[in-house]
């Protein structure tokens, strides 16, 4: 295919703080994210396949926004795994928010394994268009 | 001191070979299986009479996926659309890949193409592949000739 491009396949495991361990014996991966900024908001799109609105936790502590998506590993029927390219695990990601973001109006939705975070900017941080008149 | 990398290419080749070998050794210890080769990464579960192929395709629309089965060959292709960010928006980060993908896999047995069933939920595609009747092992009872 001519327009086929290289797509990332390998999952990256999340790093832990030194000398700490996770309570659950489960792999945790870095949720791949796209972040873009518009005039009104900053939007985060994160891949969390296997998670839905009930299994995603979003917390804000001080100025750190953390996404944690729990994914339940499942075994289809009585089958056994004969070929494996990926592991199932939870997803985690943290971002530092700037002061521009209006923390009380953050919206989050999950659809088809993609988490969408809408971080609206404070009115005073929104870009204002200044029209230039001829003098 | 200026370090010249290419003064002794044979030595570097040897070092690279060692590095690759170490990498393989460690990945085997971690038990990640074969490691993905191309998008999307795939797992295959199999039993006596059926198999299930699982792939993580977050954000892909079911209409943009194409699953074909011929005999014991499964082809999964499709495309992942780039997010529509609208005019005037700018990216801070772009880590999610998009574009066309296509994978062909050989299954452990012939599949009853008419009964293949694919479901897409929470960004995970599951394809149920029942084994073809003609391919199932037959038990042959052994009679004594006396």
């Amino acid at each position: 295919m001519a327009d086929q491009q290289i797509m990332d396949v390998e999952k990256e495991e999340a790093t832990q703080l030194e000398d700490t361990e996770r309570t659950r014996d489960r792999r945790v991966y870095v949720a791949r994210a796209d972040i873009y900024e518009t005039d009104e908001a900053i939007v985060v799109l994160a891949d969390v396949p296997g998670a839905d609105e009930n299994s995603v936790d979003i917390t804000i502590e001080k100025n750190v926004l953390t996404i944690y998506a729990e994914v339940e590993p499942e075994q289809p029927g009585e089958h056994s795994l004969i070929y494996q390219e990926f592991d199932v695990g939870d997803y985690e990601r943290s971002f530092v928010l700037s002061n521009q973001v209006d923390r009380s109006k953050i919206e989050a939705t999950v659809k088809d394994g993609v988490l969408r975070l809408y971080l609206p900017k404070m009115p005073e941080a929104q870009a204002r268009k200044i029209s230039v008149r001829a003098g | 001191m200026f370090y010249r990398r290419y003064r002794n290419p044979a030595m570097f080749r040897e070092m690279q070979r060692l590095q690759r070998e170490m990498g393989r050794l460690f990945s085997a210890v971690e038990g990640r299986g074969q490691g993905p080769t191309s998008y999307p990464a795939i797992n295959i579960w199999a039993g006596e009479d059926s198999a299930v192929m699982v792939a993580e395709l977050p954000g892909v629309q079911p209409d943009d996926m194409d699953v074909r089965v011929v005999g014991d060959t499964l082809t999964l292709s499709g495309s992942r659309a780039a997010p529509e960010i609208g005019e005037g928006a700018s990216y801070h980060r772009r880590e999610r890949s998009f574009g066309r993908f296509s994978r062909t896999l050989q299954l452990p047995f012939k599949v009853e193409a008419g009964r293949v069933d694919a479901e897409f939920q929470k960004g995970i595609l599951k394809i149920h592949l029942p084994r073809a009747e003609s391919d199932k092992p037959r038990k042959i009872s052994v009679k004594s000739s006396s």
Side-chain angles (χ1 to χ4, degrees), chain A residues 62-77:
Chain A
K62 284 178 187 150
N63 59 346
V64 179
L65 174 112
T66 304
I67 302 162
Y68 196 92
E70 230 174 88
V71 180
E72 222 41 68
E74 54 175 303
Q75 181 185 1

Side-chain angles (χ1 to χ4, degrees), chain A:
Chain A
M1 231 172 284
D3 54 348
Q4 186 156 10
Q5 55 184 121
I6 294 156
M7 296 172 88
D8 289 324
V9 239
E10 197 120 29
K11 289 191 190 178
E12 187 192 337
E13 237 179 300
T15 49
Q16 292 163 50
L17 293 172
E18 232 176 295
D19 296 328
T20 59
E21 279 181 78
R22 298 191 187 278
T23 51
R24 270 183 306 179
D25 183 22
R26 199 186 281 182
R27 285 185 191 275
V28 179
Y29 294 99
V30 174
R32 275 214 187 92
D34 282 351
I35 302 176
Y36 62 88
E37 184 174 347
T38 64
D39 288 344
E40 302 86 40
I42 292 168
V43 181
V44 179
L45 296 169
D47 285 344
V48 289
D52 59 17
E53 60 277 12
N54 303 315
S55 60
V56 176
D57 258 333
I58 298 154
T59 49
I60 302 174
E61 204 186 328
K62 284 178 187 150
N63 59 346
V64 179
L65 174 112
T66 304
I67 302 162
Y68 196 92
E70 230 174 88
V71 180
E72 222 41 68
E74 54 175 303
Q75 181 185 1
E78 293 288 290
H79 294 57
S80 54
L81 194 57
I82 59 158
Y83 178 74
Q84 184 183 22
E85 288 182 346
F86 68 89
D87 251 334
V88 175
D90 294 349
Y91 293 94
E92 190 180 47
R93 198 78 196 249
S94 300
F95 297 106
V96 176
L97 296 181
S98 72
N99 291 329
Q100 304 181 357
V101 173
D102 189 348
R103 270 137 238 237
S104 60
K105 292 197 178 113
I106 294 175
E107 286 168 41
T109 49
V110 184
K111 189 177 178 278
D112 292 338
V114 179
L115 170 72
R116 184 176 189 275
L117 274 174
Y118 186 81
L119 313 166
K121 289 186 198 168
M122 294 282 199
E124 56 267 30
Q126 285 185 15
R128 234 158 270 148
K129 202 172 161 76
I130 293 143
S131 53
V132 181
R133 285 173 300 177

